[in-house]
Amino acid sequence: MLPPPEKLESVRPFKLVEFFSFSSLAVIFIFTFVLTYIISDRARTVLLKKSEEYALLLAENLNHQVYLQFVVPTAIAYGSISLREPEQFSLIDRVVRNTIHSFRIDSVNIYDAGENIIVYSTDPSMVGKRNLGGMEYKLALRGQHSSQLVSRGGSWVFWAGGGGGEKKLKTYIPFRHEKVLTWKTGPIMGVFEITQDLSVDYETIQGFLIMVIITSTAIMTILFVVLRLIVARADRIIYKRVLEQRKLEEQLHQAEKLASLGKMVAAVSHEIKSPLGIIQSTAEILENKVKAFDPQNRLASIVVAESNRLNRIVTEFLDFARPQIPHFVRCNVIEIIEKNFNFLEPELNKSGIRVEKNFASDKVIIDGDPDLLYRVLLNIFVNAIQAMPDGGDLIVGVNIAGKPEHLEISVRDTGIGISPEDIARVFEPFFTTKHKGSGLGLAIVKNIVEGHGGIIKIESEGGKGATFIIDFPVRHA
Ligand code: ADP
């Protein structure tokens, strides 16, 4: 399991991805709002321009129709034009309504040219109102058309021009005399005020913008979440790599330490071995002599036994310190195992251990070093016997399987078992739980197995015995 984030901080080499995820979020955010502003402003400008053109087209038509169908006939019939006369009013009303009936128009007002009074309106309540024209009316009297956007209500959302509420575009166009049968226009008689309701169009644009903002925000959020996930994953990978690197460094350090320790042990053991040999043989001579005249005296026998034990330990030290380079020859694994059992038979009988042999065949031939393999199995069998002081079962299996072929040797005992914490340590040199153990047996075993290109593993539940599994690739010369 990885340690908490504060510890993680210390091994993170850089925060580029994290920086990237936050900065990209900010960039997308700013970009979205700038883009939305530009789109909305452009949409509003285009809408106003098109609406004004629409009003101008209508005004041209209105000018023509009102002049031909109302001004001229009325002037002929009545001598003068007065819209206060109901007949004249209803005539112009008919003409105007006929002209605008298929256009999307809110209202049409006609101002007179002298006094800024509404003389005609499609909304009768407006007729007679004064001074509503403003600057646009004056410009129209000078022959220029212009428009004015009138807003009522609205919200901040539509920030390019204010959104929602009521939006009306009022366009003011001069109303002129026409010179019949020519394209020329005459003097200005009044001003048309054409009002279009743009509220729905504005709302459509506003809806579109809200959609753009929501979509961009959603994309931004997804992108950010994805980037955060990548950051977290990258962090973990980097952290794992740093840990692996540290572990390798530690292993290298440990290997260097062991190598120098091994050299020292080898030198000391070598120096001890010769005097120890002399002590051993002298003690044996002494033992025989003491036995001759004092058979009860055990002192010399104790010296012999202890010097033997010391010799075994020194030999193990030397074995551990010396590199175990295998000399590969063709050998029969079953024969090596049987040789071990012959040697261990007295011990097995003494401890009341039953041996079960599950061999695929009585000839399992591989290329290996028979002496080294003998020592591997001896160490494992001796440990198993020591783990079952009150007897038990020792089950040995040999099997060849797989492609490429692998030899699997399993040694199971029903002894005291190994705790999970100890399983990780038993192959360490000098690790022992025994009173008189050296803790080198399994370290030597591991060296030899790895020298054969194999692996060794242990399965054990504390108190329920242990199984050692050796897995060798089968070599054929
Ligand atoms: P030693 O036998 O000198 O202690 P080893 O390296 O052979 O050294 O073994 C290391 C330790 O592994 C032993 O002390 C023992 O605790 C444990 N061990 C090895 N084999 C077994 C086994 N079959 N059952 C229980 N414990 C074992």
Side-chain angles (χ1 to χ4, degrees):
M1 219 184 78
L2 295 178
E6 16 352 314
K7 276 199 168 178
L8 209 71
E9 285 296 321
S10 66
V11 292
R12 270 187 202 163
F14 59 88
K15 292 185 176 178
L16 189 67
V17 191
E18 191 163 345
F19 168 76
F20 175 69
S21 69
F22 276 111
S23 53
S24 62
L25 179 77
V27 168
I28 296 168
F29 201 71
I30 293 167
F31 182 75
T32 305
F33 278 92
V34 169
L35 194 73
T36 315
Y37 178 82
I38 294 171
I39 293 171
S40 65
D41 194 49
R42 182 90 192 116
R44 189 181 67 100
T45 312
V46 169
L47 176 68
L48 290 179
K49 196 162 169 275
K50 290 280 164 209
S51 303
E52 193 175 35
E53 280 170 6
Y54 188 77
L56 288 177
L57 205 72
L58 175 69
E60 200 178 302
N61 198 13
L62 255 180
N63 198 125
H64 188 66
Q65 298 302 337
V66 171
Y67 190 79
L68 283 186
Q69 290 184 40
F70 172 71
V71 178
V72 176
T74 308
I76 293 169
Y78 297 96
S80 69
I81 294 170
S82 168
L83 290 174
R84 285 200 190 91
E85 296 296 327
E87 273 178 39
Q88 289 192 23
F89 190 90
S90 73
L91 178 61
I92 192 169
D93 191 44
R94 217 168 36 246
V95 172
V96 170
R97 286 185 193 280
N98 280 345
T99 310
I100 67 169
H101 90 274
S102 57
F103 287 80
R104 278 195 300 117
I105 292 300
D106 201 41
S107 67
V108 172
N109 294 338
I110 301 175
Y111 290 78
D112 91 332
E115 290 182 64
N116 197 350
I117 299 176
I118 296 176
V119 289
Y120 167 78
S121 174
T122 46
D123 173 3
S125 67
M126 297 297 287
V127 178
K129 296 234 160 107
R130 287 172 180 271
N131 299 327
L132 292 179
M135 254 316 283
E136 286 73 15
Y137 167 78
K138 284 179 189 149
L139 281 174
L141 285 183
R142 275 187 248 139
Q144 290 169 25
H145 65 263
S146 59
S147 294
Q148 186 198 9
L149 184 72
V150 182
S151 310
R152 217 174 303 144
S155 68
W156 59 271
V157 183
F158 192 33
W159 20 284
E166 197 181 69
K167 303 275 172 228
K168 289 198 170 174
L169 183 73
K170 290 178 184 287
T171 310
Y172 297 83
I173 310 114
F175 176 28
R176 294 172 185 273
H177 276 279
E178 279 191 4
K179 293 192 173 154
V180 185
L181 302 179
T182 71
W183 287 110
K184 289 180 185 162
T185 51
I188 293 167
M189 292 189 291
V191 172
F192 284 120
E193 182 197 78
I194 296 173
T195 306
Q196 297 174 72
D197 192 349
L198 302 184
S199 310
V200 175
D201 302 273
Y202 264 65
E203 260 165 32
T204 309
I205 294 174
Q206 186 175 345
F208 170 71
L209 288 175
I210 289 171
M211 210 177 75
V212 169
I213 291 174
I214 290 173
T215 314
S216 315
T217 310
I219 292 171
M220 248 157 35
T221 313
I222 292 169
L223 208 72
F224 185 69
V225 170
V226 170
L227 284 171
R228 292 300 304 155
L229 288 177
I230 293 172
V231 172
R233 215 175 127 71
D235 267 350
R236 274 185 167 69
I237 291 171
I238 290 167
Y239 174 63
K240 256 190 182 165
R241 291 216 178 124
V242 172
L243 277 194
E244 271 164 22
Q245 201 179 327
R246 284 193 181 170
K247 215 168 149 189
L248 280 177
E249 278 168 11
E250 264 168 33
Q251 278 171 359
L252 196 71
H253 191 61
Q254 179 83 351
E256 279 168 1
K257 240 169 56 184
L258 282 177
S260 49
L261 188 75
K263 272 187 202 153
M264 203 177 75
V265 167
V268 174
S269 307
H270 189 73
E271 289 305 315
I272 291 173
K273 237 182 142 40
S274 324
L276 189 63
I278 298 169
I279 293 172
Q280 238 179 329
S281 46
T282 316
E284 274 164 18
I285 297 167
L286 202 67
E287 188 188 23
N288 289 337
K289 284 195 174 163
V290 170
K291 252 187 204 163
F293 57 87
D294 186 3
Q296 300 304 315
N297 195 331
R298 307 270 312 132
L299 276 176
S301 313
I302 291 171
V303 176
V304 171
E306 286 306 306
S307 54
N308 278 344
R309 198 170 76 82
L310 199 58
N311 187 42
R312 211 175 50 247
I313 291 174
V314 169
T315 311
E316 272 192 351
F317 275 3
L318 276 172
D319 281 348
F320 172 67
R322 271 193 231 113
Q324 306 291 332
I325 300 161
H327 300 289
F328 288 94
V329 289
R330 283 179 83 73
C331 55
N332 182 358
V333 180
I334 306 298
E335 222 172 77
I336 298 170
I337 294 174
E338 293 296 359
K339 205 169 131 191
N340 259 300
F341 283 135
N342 286 341
F343 176 69
L344 292 170
E345 203 176 343
E347 281 298 315
L348 290 164
N349 291 338
K350 207 167 87 187
S351 307
I353 294 169
R354 193 184 68 86
V355 176
E356 186 182 316
K357 297 170 190 171
N358 296 329
F359 301 157
S361 140
D362 57 358
K363 256 192 180 174
V364 176
I365 308 292
I366 62 157
D367 279 348
D369 186 321
D371 292 337
L372 293 181
L373 293 179
Y374 176 82
R375 283 186 28 216
V376 163
L377 292 163
L378 185 67
N379 265 308
I380 294 173
F381 291 150
V382 168
N383 277 337
I385 294 169
Q386 287 171 353
M388 298 184 285
D390 303 323
D393 292 337
L394 180 63
I395 302 124
V396 186
V398 177
N399 192 28
I400 287 195
K403 245 182 184 17
E405 281 186 330
H406 272 247
L407 165 71
E408 192 183 281
I409 305 174
S410 63
V411 180
R412 186 153 72 84
D413 65 60
T414 54
I416 52 174
I418 311 174
S419 67
E421 308 87 66
D422 284 354
I423 286 183
R425 302 195 56 203
V426 290
F427 293 112
E428 283 176 16
F430 309 113
F431 174 81
T432 181
T433 54
K434 295 171 195 165
H435 182 51
K436 287 185 175 176
S438 68
L440 288 172
L442 289 181
I444 296 169
V445 164
K446 191 166 184 265
N447 276 352
I448 297 174
V449 170
E450 285 175 357
H452 279 74
I455 52 164
I456 177 161
K457 54 186 184 188
I458 303 173
E459 288 168 4
S460 177
E461 278 179 51
K464 287 191 189 162
T467 308
F468 283 73
I469 300 162
I470 301 172
D471 191 315
F472 285 122
V474 175
R475 293 166 56 115
H476 291 293

